[in-house]
Amino acid sequence: MLTSLYYPKEILKSLLSGVPTSLPGGFNSCSFFMGLIGKWADQVNLPVTVISEAFGVTPQAVYGNINRLAQLEARIDAQPDIPADCIILTQKGIDKIILALALDAHASLEGIQRVLATLDCKNTRRSIGHISEFLSKAGAFAAEITKAIPLDGICHGANDEVFDGSDKPVLTGVDPDSTYIYLMQNMDDRKGETWELAMETLKDLGLKLKVAISDAGSGLLKGVKAAFPDADTQLDLFHVLRDIGRPVYRFKEHTFKELAECYKLESAAAKEKRQWSQRARKRQKKLADYKTAIPAMIEDFDMLDILYSWLREMVSFSGHSYDEVMELMDWILDEMLAVSIRHSWSYKLSSEILRFKDRLPTTMLFISRLFRDFSMKAEAMGLPKEVFRLLYSRLSVNKESEAYAELTRQASALIPAGELANVEKVHDEIVTGIKRASSMVENVNGRLRAYMNIKRHVSSNFYSLVQLHMNAKKYRRSRVASRKGHSPLELLTGKPWPEFIDLLEEYGFWDKDMAEQVA
């Protein structure tokens, strides 16, 4: 049940905002204040004639409005008798429901309209055009708030493209450290010039990328490099490993398929009653061919599986230097290529291995950044550069091994007494601070799908609305403890920010001149 209730403070707010239709019982601004002041005059024993002369009416008119105000107060006093499931809605409250349904519930325009209609009150009914126009205004207002947020605290950027229902690209950029979304803009294409224009606009807001992480999209790489020529271009490990992992998995599937066929032929041959028949002889020949090829195929798959696991280990923090990693990776890829060449049906694996070798320098660029940060931090702390190198090398050996203990002893000899734990902590912070993948932007793209799936085309203003909503939403849980209870906006700026709807209200979205602000 929807019951419209009026509190004195709400009535006063309505009067001050110039909305006379919100007054109950036939009141207008003049009669309401006449009754209110008349009641006050009666309480302080001030003659009612003074009030009637001030308003230019008869005393009876003043008493009439006092009685009407008393009736309104009686209705307010009766509120506790109203069922507990009633709700009080104002225009602003309905607007907030629309925003919550659109952004948190991922509801379509028709869905929002139906929800408002189920409240069974004419004051809550809204046309689809009204809802669409309201969301567009809110999006334009959100875009203005976003433009006012400085981006000079962002030095790492994960960039990608996602396509909406109309097959138009949405350029997306996320700070992997704070998870703040600095770019969410739909474009007509994804050419290098388009990406460059988007990045140049963000540079005006203070964005200064030192590391740009992305897939191998040519337009993306070209545009970001043009805008930030000094930035390290890091290829996303997820895409690189996915591309080479698929043909490795297909090699496994093919091997198991051939093995199953061999077992099937062997079983059929054992059941054959006429071993001398032509069909039986063909089956026996085919089985012999399988038995000759299968062992070598299984051996190659085992080798390929081991090499692929080593490759995955090398693209993590393995404890080896950049040159050591590049040398080991070259050998691993050459061995994988030798395996794939022996089987003509695995030509896709050969193609992906060669492609991986071409991408290897930019894929492993994070190791160079890691050692550069080690050197800078060692110099700042007044330590030999070799200290962090020795601590990092421990990642390549077992913690229980003598080699691990020896590396620890060597590092300790270069560190002031009692400072080992502190230096180890700094080392771990540097390692965890190095970004290798654009998983955060992939997460954002996945969350965008919920909005794209309900619309054929999402407007620019709605993307601005979603961008601010995601940035102002506080983490309820996170694998990174420092993020819990904070929004990306707070993590970026280091200051407290209200959540999305409160943020709009704080910036004056529902002020009377809102239309002029977003025009």
Side-chain angles (χ1 to χ4, degrees):
M1 181 180 75
L2 176 65
T3 306
S4 296
L5 304 174
Y6 296 88
Y7 293 91
K9 66 176 184 179
E10 293 296 331
I11 295 173
L12 288 172
K13 286 168 64 178
S14 298
L15 289 169
L16 293 173
S17 63
V19 188
T21 55
S22 65
L23 293 172
F27 273 118
N28 58 36
S29 302
C30 183
S31 63
F32 177 80
F33 279 111
M34 187 190 307
L36 191 63
I37 296 174
K39 182 179 178 181
W40 169 78
D42 186 54
Q43 290 175 346
V44 299
N45 297 320
L46 185 70
V48 173
T49 54
V50 175
I51 307 303
S52 64
E53 289 175 0
F55 281 91
V57 296
T58 64
Q60 290 78 5
V62 177
Y63 280 118
N65 282 306
I66 292 174
N67 291 334
R68 293 168 68 191
L69 186 61
Q71 293 173 5
L72 176 60
E73 290 176 337
R75 288 174 57 190
I76 294 174
D77 292 337
Q79 286 177 17
D81 298 328
I82 296 172
D85 60 348
C86 73
I87 57 176
I88 304 171
L89 285 180
T90 61
Q91 175 61 47
K92 185 193 297 185
I94 295 172
D95 290 346
K96 291 181 178 181
I97 290 175
I98 292 173
L99 289 171
L101 288 172
L103 298 169
D104 290 310
H106 308 127
S108 64
L109 297 181
E110 183 179 0
I112 296 171
Q113 184 188 44
R114 287 178 177 275
V115 170
L116 294 178
T118 59
L119 297 176
D120 197 24
C121 177
K122 65 179 182 179
N123 292 333
T124 64
R125 298 182 185 277
R126 298 290 184 273
S127 68
I128 288 180
H130 174 92
I131 296 170
S132 177
E133 183 180 0
F134 168 73
L135 290 175
S136 179
K137 287 183 178 180
F141 194 84
E144 294 302 314
I145 296 176
T146 299
K147 289 177 183 177
I149 298 170
L151 304 178
D152 51 0
I154 299 176
C155 59
H156 296 94
N159 306 296
D160 200 2
E161 305 145 345
V162 61
F163 292 87
D164 63 13
S166 61
D167 208 29
K168 296 288 186 181
V170 180
L171 311 188
T172 313
V174 182
D175 172 20
D177 296 309
S178 65
T179 71
Y180 181 83
I181 305 167
Y182 56 79
L183 175 63
M184 186 182 290
Q185 186 175 0
N186 56 335
M187 293 290 194
D188 291 329
D189 58 65
R190 52 174 180 163
K191 296 178 181 178
E193 295 79 5
T194 305
W195 267 104
E196 183 181 1
L197 176 62
M199 288 297 168
E200 288 293 343
T201 303
L202 293 172
K203 283 173 68 176
D204 294 337
L205 301 178
L207 185 65
K208 299 175 182 178
L209 292 185
K210 295 180 180 179
V211 178
I213 310 172
S214 66
D215 59 19
S218 58
L220 194 163
L221 293 175
K222 179 182 176 182
V224 174
K225 196 65 178 176
F228 299 98
D230 297 328
D232 287 342
T233 304
Q234 170 73 55
L235 283 185
D236 172 45
L237 285 179
F238 166 78
H239 289 90
V240 173
L241 289 175
R242 180 199 64 183
D243 291 345
I244 196 171
R246 285 173 174 171
V248 169
Y249 181 76
R250 283 195 289 268
F251 194 104
K252 174 184 177 181
E253 280 190 323
H254 185 87
T255 302
F256 283 5
K257 181 180 178 181
E258 294 293 284
L259 186 60
E261 185 65 23
C262 181
Y263 286 148
K264 181 179 177 181
L265 284 171
E266 193 171 35
S267 176
K271 294 177 182 178
E272 184 67 54
K273 295 182 179 180
R274 296 187 298 174
Q275 298 291 337
W276 60 88
S277 66
Q278 185 177 4
R279 186 178 65 178
R281 289 197 299 271
K282 286 183 179 180
R283 184 181 289 121
Q284 290 290 347
K285 184 179 183 306
K286 190 174 181 180
L287 179 60
D289 292 340
Y290 267 108
K291 286 185 174 181
T292 301
I294 288 294
M297 190 182 298
I298 293 175
E299 184 177 349
D300 280 345
F301 167 69
D302 289 340
M303 177 60 70
L304 186 64
D305 191 45
I306 293 171
L307 291 168
Y308 183 62
S309 66
W310 288 352
L311 184 145
R312 293 180 64 88
E313 183 179 337
M314 287 295 103
V315 297
S316 65
F317 297 107
S318 60
H320 300 288
S321 68
Y322 179 81
D323 292 337
E324 291 171 342
V325 169
M326 292 298 288
E327 185 178 352
L328 286 168
M329 289 288 278
D330 276 336
W331 179 82
I332 291 171
L333 292 171
D334 287 342
E335 291 297 312
M336 290 179 69
L337 186 61
V339 170
S340 65
I341 289 174
R342 287 198 286 269
H343 305 276
S344 59
W345 45 267
S346 66
Y347 61 91
K348 287 187 178 180
L349 176 58
S350 302
S351 175
E352 286 299 333
I353 291 171
L354 294 173
R355 199 165 125 193
F356 190 98
K357 292 193 75 168
D358 290 338
R359 296 176 175 180
L360 194 55
T362 48
T363 302
M364 304 309 299
L365 199 58
F366 69 93
I367 300 292
S368 297
R369 295 203 312 274
L370 176 66
F371 278 82
R372 186 169 63 228
D373 289 356
F374 280 160
S375 297
M376 293 172 60
K377 196 63 178 180
E379 184 177 352
M381 296 176 68
L383 298 173
K385 295 181 180 179
E386 188 65 16
V387 170
F388 286 116
R389 174 69 181 87
L390 290 168
L391 293 177
Y392 181 68
S393 296
R394 297 188 306 179
L395 298 176
S396 64
V397 297
N398 190 296
K399 279 190 175 184
E400 307 299 326
S401 67
E402 176 58 30
Y404 187 94
E406 177 59 26
L407 288 169
T408 304
R409 285 193 292 268
Q410 291 178 23
S412 299
L414 302 173
I415 302 172
E419 289 295 315
L420 177 60
N422 180 53
V423 175
E424 286 179 327
K425 181 180 178 182
V426 172
H427 166 271
D428 294 343
E429 289 174 350
I430 294 174
V431 172
T432 54
I434 296 296
K435 307 304 177 185
R436 303 174 297 142
S438 60
S439 52
M440 189 54 65
V441 74
E442 294 295 337
N443 173 276
V444 170
N445 289 345
R447 290 157 66 192
L448 270 179
R449 287 293 174 194
Y451 302 103
M452 294 176 174
N453 291 341
I454 61 174
K455 295 183 177 183
R456 177 173 176 79
H457 176 69
V458 183
S459 68
S460 297
N461 282 342
F462 194 79
Y463 279 123
S464 298
L465 201 62
V466 172
Q467 181 180 358
L468 185 61
H469 174 256
M470 290 183 178
N471 282 332
K473 192 171 185 179
K474 299 183 188 296
Y475 283 100
R476 293 184 179 180
R477 55 189 178 276
S478 176
R479 288 180 295 178
V480 181
S482 60
R483 292 177 185 167
K484 189 175 180 181
H486 299 284
S487 67
L489 192 49
E490 292 176 332
L491 294 170
L492 174 65
T493 62
K495 301 176 183 178
W497 287 78
E499 289 221 39
F500 175 68
I501 292 179
D502 294 331
L503 180 58
L504 288 183
E505 187 164 12
E506 184 176 296
Y507 271 75
F509 177 63
W510 281 280
D511 290 352
K512 186 178 179 181
D513 59 344
M514 184 269 287
E516 287 76 14
Q517 292 183 41
V518 299

